[in-house]
């Protein structure tokens, strides 16, 4: 039996995570500035246990950051939460809920289990412990507790006499994760965003896919108030033909083990470049 994977999220307090992401926005590609900013949020803790032992692993497990050492920065999902929070606290939670639900649906499926089974959560947790990939039963329990705590704080679950699905909020999340209302706009915005990055790079045609993910999701949110997660971006990019009479899209292979790669068919890619066949439409 394949065991479920629940990452150990050591910093599972959402409001604290939001503040930490603010540090990443303020100090991208600046490890020293980032570390000092984060440590100010945890003045009663040791540097090693907070920065490298708790904050960075938690954000990485949630897919909210990219890079190592001096390359640390927000991922497209992390950036989208920060952008949404500038509008309101509730909007930040709206985006975070979508990201948490995607992670949960991928492997954990606690939300679906609680929705389907009218059972006591303690009983459900006990049944899950033996199915969780963890070094010990104690750590399996900790992983479940932290994950459920995040789902509760995000508002996806509610706890009165027992833990239940917050059906109204989950309904909104399902709308946010529905690509059918976005795919018609996606191709246009994808090409516009590529052209914008192409110009910023002084006409260098090769664009990192993590960068274009970030810019597309930001533009979708600002322009249409629609949520585009990294997973949704990848789903819709796969729907665009790689070659037409107007353009040819080339995908560049990753050089090795890298983060946030784009999987197309059975291969993983890091970059995208577009050659426009109609010169008048060339950016």
């Amino acid at each position: 039996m394949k065991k479920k994977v629940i990452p150990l999220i050591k910093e599972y307090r959402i409001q604290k995570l939001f503040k930490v992401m603010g540090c990443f926005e303020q100090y991208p590609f600046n490890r020293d500035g980032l570390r000092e900013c984060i440590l100010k949020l945890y003045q009663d803790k040791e540097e090693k246990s907070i920065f490298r032992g708790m904050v960075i692993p938690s954000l990485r497990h949630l897919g909210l950051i990219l890079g190592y050492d001096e390359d640390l920065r927000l991922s497209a999902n992390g950036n989208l939460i920060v952008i949404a929070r500038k509008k309101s606290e509730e909007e930040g939670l709206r985006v975070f809920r979508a990201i948490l639900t995607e992670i949960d649906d991928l492997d954990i499926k606690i939300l679906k289990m609680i929705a389907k089974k009218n059972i006591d959560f303690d009983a459900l947790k006990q049944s899950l412990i033996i199915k969780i990939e963890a070094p010990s039963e104690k750590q399996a329990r900790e992983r479940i507790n932290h994950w459920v705590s995040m789902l509760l704080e995000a508002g996806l679950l509610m706890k009165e006499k027992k833990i239940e699905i917050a059906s109204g909020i989950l309904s909104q999340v399902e709308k946010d994760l529905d690509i059918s209302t976005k795919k018609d706009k996606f191709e246009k915005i994808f090409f516009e965003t590529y052209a914008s990055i192409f110009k910023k790079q002084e006409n260098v045609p090769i664009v990192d896919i993590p960068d274009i993910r970030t810019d597309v999701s930001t533009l979708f949110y600002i322009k249409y108030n629609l949520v585009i997660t990294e997973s949704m971006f990848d789903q819709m990019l796969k729907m665009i033909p790689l070659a037409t009479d107007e353009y040819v899209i080339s995908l560049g292979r990753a050089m090795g083990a890298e983060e946030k790669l784009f999987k197309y068919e059975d291969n993983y890619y890091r970059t995208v470049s577009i050659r426009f066949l109609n010169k008048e439409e060339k950016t």
Side-chain angles (χ1 to χ4, degrees):
M1 179 184 70
K2 184 181 177 181
K3 292 203 169 186
K4 295 179 179 295
V5 177
I6 298 183
L8 177 55
I9 311 297
K10 295 184 179 180
E11 179 51 274
Y12 54 93
R13 296 168 296 177
I14 294 175
Q15 293 305 317
K16 185 70 84 173
L17 286 170
F18 285 170
K19 290 178 182 178
V20 168
M21 281 189 278
C23 290
F24 274 87
E25 182 197 27
Q26 191 175 355
Y27 296 101
F29 303 102
N30 182 345
R31 186 182 176 89
D32 290 339
L34 175 63
R35 183 176 60 246
E36 292 305 314
C37 182
I38 290 173
L39 291 179
K40 287 178 182 176
L41 301 174
Y42 299 90
Q43 294 185 352
D44 58 333
K45 303 285 186 179
E46 292 183 9
E47 175 186 345
K48 182 178 180 181
S49 64
I50 290 301
F51 187 70
R52 288 185 291 166
M54 184 170 79
V55 170
I56 299 299
S58 297
L59 288 172
R60 200 179 299 286
H61 286 320
L62 290 167
L64 302 178
I65 59 171
L66 277 172
Y68 296 88
D69 299 323
E70 293 299 325
D71 290 330
L72 284 166
R73 67 224 187 256
L74 290 169
S75 67
N77 280 352
N79 180 74
L80 186 57
I81 291 170
V82 170
I83 294 293
R85 286 192 74 240
K86 291 180 179 179
K87 188 173 182 180
S88 72
E89 188 72 23
E90 178 55 32
E91 280 295 296
L93 277 172
R94 172 193 168 200
V95 174
F96 195 63
R97 287 176 190 132
I99 292 165
L100 280 182
T101 301
E102 277 192 334
I103 297 171
D104 193 80
D105 282 348
L106 185 64
D107 193 63
I108 306 167
K109 303 190 188 310
I110 283 180
L111 290 171
K112 288 182 177 176
M113 284 188 284
I114 292 175
K116 285 181 180 179
K117 297 182 180 180
N118 185 25
I119 66 172
D120 177 76
F121 177 68
D122 287 337
L124 176 61
K125 182 167 64 175
Q126 195 60 40
S127 71
L128 275 172
I129 286 173
I130 60 171
K131 301 176 184 176
I132 299 299
E133 188 176 292
S136 66
E137 181 178 319
K138 180 182 177 182
Q139 289 193 33
R141 190 183 303 277
E142 182 183 20
R143 291 175 189 222
I144 296 167
N145 286 339
H146 287 190
W147 189 254
V148 170
S149 178
M150 292 183 76
L151 297 177
L152 283 164
E153 189 181 344
L156 290 162
L157 295 175
M158 54 187 182
K159 185 176 184 180
E160 293 179 0
K161 291 183 179 179
K162 62 179 182 177
I163 290 180
E164 297 177 297
I165 292 292
S167 55
I169 287 176
L170 198 57
S171 177
Q172 176 60 51
V173 171
E174 289 169 354
K175 289 179 183 177
D176 283 332
L177 292 175
D178 181 7
I179 65 170
S180 66
T181 59
K182 304 162 189 174
K183 59 185 180 182
D184 290 342
K185 298 181 178 75
F186 180 81
E187 185 169 330
K188 180 175 183 292
I189 289 182
F190 172 77
F191 283 110
E192 287 176 356
T193 303
Y194 175 86
S196 175
I197 297 174
F198 176 84
K199 288 174 182 175
K200 287 177 187 175
Q201 294 182 167
E202 298 181 348
N203 297 340
V204 174
I206 298 173
V207 172
D208 275 357
I209 290 173
D211 291 341
I212 198 167
R213 281 195 194 110
T214 295
D215 288 1
V216 166
S217 67
T218 299
L219 186 57
F220 251 99
Y221 182 77
I222 291 173
K223 194 169 183 179
Y224 300 113
N225 195 36
L226 293 174
V227 174
I228 299 289
T229 65
E230 295 173 14
S231 175
M232 295 165 71
F233 173 97
D234 288 5
Q235 288 179 64
M236 289 186 282
L237 180 54
K238 290 173 186 175
M239 296 177 185
I240 296 178
L242 292 183
T244 70
D245 292 339
E246 297 179 355
Y247 64 81
V248 175
I249 296 175
S250 299
L251 299 170
R253 292 278 188 95
M255 298 301 291
E258 298 182 50
E259 300 174 281
K260 304 284 187 178
L261 296 175
F262 172 63
K263 184 178 181 182
Y264 186 79
E265 295 179 345
D266 293 326
N267 295 309
Y268 290 87
Y269 299 92
R270 174 73 191 196
T271 63
V272 61
S273 62
I274 304 174
R275 181 165 62 93
F276 293 94
L277 305 179
N278 182 337
K279 299 296 183 183
E280 293 180 358
E281 290 184 10
K282 189 174 180 180
T283 53

